[in-house]
Amino acid sequence: MAPQRNTGAGAEAELPEYAGHYRLQSCLGSGGMGVVHLAQSTSGMKVAVKVVHAEFAQDPEFRGRFRQEVAAARRVSGAFTAPVVDADPEAERPWMATSFIPGPTLSEHVKRNGPMAPGELRRLMAGLAEALRDIHRVGVVHRDLKPSNVLLAEDGPKVIDFGISRPKDSELRTETGKLIGTPPFMAPEQFRRPREVGPAADIFALGSVLVHAATGRGPFDSDSPYVVAYQVVHDEPDLAGLPENIAPLVLRCLAKEPEDRPTPDELMRELRSVSASYDTQAYIPAQRAGVTPVSEPPAAEPEQPEQAGRRRGRRLRKRVALGAGALGLAAIGTLAALQLSDDSDPAPKSATPHTTPSATFGGWRTAPVSKKSTPQCSYGDGKLLCAQPGVVFALDPSDGSLLWRHAVATTQRSGPPVLSGGLVQPSLDTGRQLEALDPATGKARWQKTVPAYTGLADAGGMLLLTHADGTVTGVDGSSGATKWSHRIPGQPAPYFTSFEGDPVAYATNTSDDGTSTRVTAVDPDTGEVSWDARLDGTLKPVGTADGSVFLLSLDSVYNSAKAVVRYTPGTGTVRRVTLPLALDQGHGTVHGHVVYVMGAGGSLVAVDMDARKQLWSLETALVRGSTPVADGRQVYVTAADGRLLAVNARTGRLVGQTPARLDSNSDQISAALPEPVVADNRVYAAAPDGTVFAVNSLTPGAW
């Protein structure tokens, strides 16, 4: 069988023919973390195999999430879930096999056939209630129940995809929560009190799923996930169209407070008492009963106070959602594939300078290409080097004017362009083709076809390519010449991290039980090992300073940052500072002897490794923040809604933030948040509306 290709939104390099001893036959679907295949075991048993995307297989965070998914799915076993047959979270491409369940998803069924009949709806509600009972009784909270995660099998609905589930008794309940999911099916507490998300959140999602099944829409609908989030927290659900004797149960499921919602057992008891004979009359919620339909245009009729209140509420929601307030409530979505850009693109919009009467830098904002996706930028050769799917471009840092642009083949971005060996590498995406551009003109200086590789990193002017067999090839960034190619001792599949000003590249290899990590420093010019150490815990390098490397110690299952570690290879000393509260999916940066860590739930902390203590902690109210960047005065973080935040590096006080910059025509939010770029007392950042902007780092209060 020829190797398969993923043709979904996350198109990637060739997929494997086997996962373990399961032969992959056809693609059933593609999601944010991986591709699901119909597969067959040696004995002929059909299974559904989820294989993690190649771009995520090298990322310890995603491996941690996948281990978590496998662990949660294995805990759940019942008539209304898909049991795990086999899994290998530690494989080069991690995978999990579950029983194959023929049948469409609820989302597909409603799209194809329209809303469900009342009898079907009752059976669906009963099946999902029983599924949640099975899930909750083993201590798991699904947290992402939605129509696409419900399979309609002949013997009843099946709940699938435990990718973001959590044990309800996990210590994470007392930590800053991670707000990921799908806004129309998330409970209010997932936005308001992420630390308190429990089984009742799944009941809220069940209510939303039932509304979708009965009407083809959700109880909270908008083109913007931010507006939906506001509606979920503050507004009453729209239940128009629900059968009259199901609607009260659904309304209870959608109660704003968790304690007001029924348990799965209570739902099943009440469903048994509901007559199987259904009145097909549509249910109109009480709050809509006083509104009389009219045949004339609404403007010709006197407006009811209730109507006016809803109209004001809609206007308020739009203002709140587009502002910079508490609605940093982004859903982590999958970006749709975008059309390739080439040199025939319409002329770029000119930069809009924001000057002040004084001579100080006042900032600028520009939309250099027509694409509505978040650019990713870096700084090199005195230019701002940026990329969006299909195009790489250079901006003048002083005013944002476009210097050049160059079309590239990739429709995905795994990071910004980098300057390697004095030339611009348009992308660190994996593939077979390398290309280097002249930073002055954007013209290609060299191109090179190489064997397929699964990882690419830049370190000290060398490009380090990791191949599927674990071999690493060093390519000179200035000439494209191959300098060396061999394996790295102790690193079976090395993926490298490098830091500005540090002459070595780092590869890590965590033991199967997560109790230790081998850290290897490699000279990128020769591929020789500079030093090698085995340290306790699951570790991720985040920076270097004064001859030491700084690492985050992660929970091996949930990937939460538990501690900061400093290792000094010259002396072999290890210093570890435990965080008071672990940070889910922590990202870190180093400035001097202080490590700044951003958690997925919005917590930003500073840890002084000399003083061996946490200096401060700030709740930013962001659902997600980028990897922080520090310049000694401030710590900078970009948000999913396009805001740039500045936090005083000494006190942890928020001292400035820019407005949100969302694309008003799209409800998609980038899965990868670009880091801010700091240079020459300026901070450069990018937003989902396609803009790149610059602000004065000396005056964050004026942003």
Side-chain angles (χ1 to χ4, degrees), residues 317-330:
R317 288 196 296 274
K318 291 180 180 177
R319 290 198 297 270
V320 172
L322 296 176
L327 283 184
L329 305 173

Side-chain angles (χ1 to χ4, degrees), residues 102-338:
T105 66
L106 175 59
S107 178
E108 293 167 340
H109 176 84
V110 172
K111 185 175 181 179
R112 185 183 307 130
N113 304 306
M116 282 184 161
E120 292 179 307
L121 197 66
R122 179 186 176 279
R123 288 190 292 273
L124 174 69
M125 192 174 193
L128 292 180
E130 190 164 346
L132 290 182
R133 182 201 63 185
D134 294 341
I135 293 168
H136 294 166
R137 70 182 177 185
V138 295
V140 172
V141 182
H142 191 284
R143 302 202 315 162
D144 197 24
L145 183 66
K146 57 186 178 182
S148 60
N149 283 342
V150 176
L151 283 174
L152 299 180
E154 289 185 356
D155 58 345
K158 312 288 183 184
V159 175
I160 60 172
D161 198 346
F162 291 81
I164 62 170
S165 58
R166 289 280 193 271
K168 67 182 181 182
D169 55 354
S170 166
E171 62 181 9
L172 288 170
R173 282 173 54 82
T174 62
E175 301 165 6
T176 300
K178 171 186 165 193
L179 300 184
I180 64 175
T182 309
F185 303 96
M186 291 169 67
E189 63 268 24
Q190 288 180 274
F191 299 110
R192 297 183 306 187
R193 301 188 298 273
R195 302 179 187 183
E196 301 175 21
V197 172
D202 289 343
I203 298 297
F204 189 95
L206 170 61
S208 297
V209 167
L210 264 292
V211 175
H212 178 87
T215 67
R217 54 161 175 78
F220 308 98
D221 262 4
S222 171
D223 292 335
S224 166
Y226 297 92
V227 174
V228 169
Y230 184 91
Q231 292 173 331
V232 167
V233 173
H234 298 287
D235 288 1
E236 291 303 311
D238 181 358
L239 302 187
L242 258 70
E244 187 173 340
N245 43 10
I246 281 266
L249 271 181
V250 173
L251 191 62
R252 286 186 59 200
C253 292
L254 294 173
K256 299 300 183 188
E257 299 302 325
E259 60 271 18
D260 294 334
R261 299 172 205 147
T263 65
D265 284 328
E266 290 171 342
L267 275 178
M268 288 188 286
R269 283 197 299 271
E270 294 193 35
L271 280 169
R272 284 196 296 269
S273 67
V274 173
S275 170
S277 174
Y278 280 85
D279 184 349
T280 57
Q281 176 186 356
Y283 170 73
I284 305 297
Q287 72 268 21
R288 297 172 183 258
V291 180
T292 303
V294 294
S295 57
E296 296 294 323
E301 294 292 328
E303 188 175 60
Q304 298 290 332
E306 183 184 343
Q307 292 172 305
R310 287 202 298 270
R311 190 184 305 277
R312 286 194 297 270
R314 286 194 294 270
R315 289 198 296 266
L316 174 63
R317 288 196 296 274
K318 291 180 180 177
R319 290 198 297 270
V320 172
L322 296 176
L327 283 184
L329 305 173
I332 298 182
T334 303
L335 284 176
L338 298 175

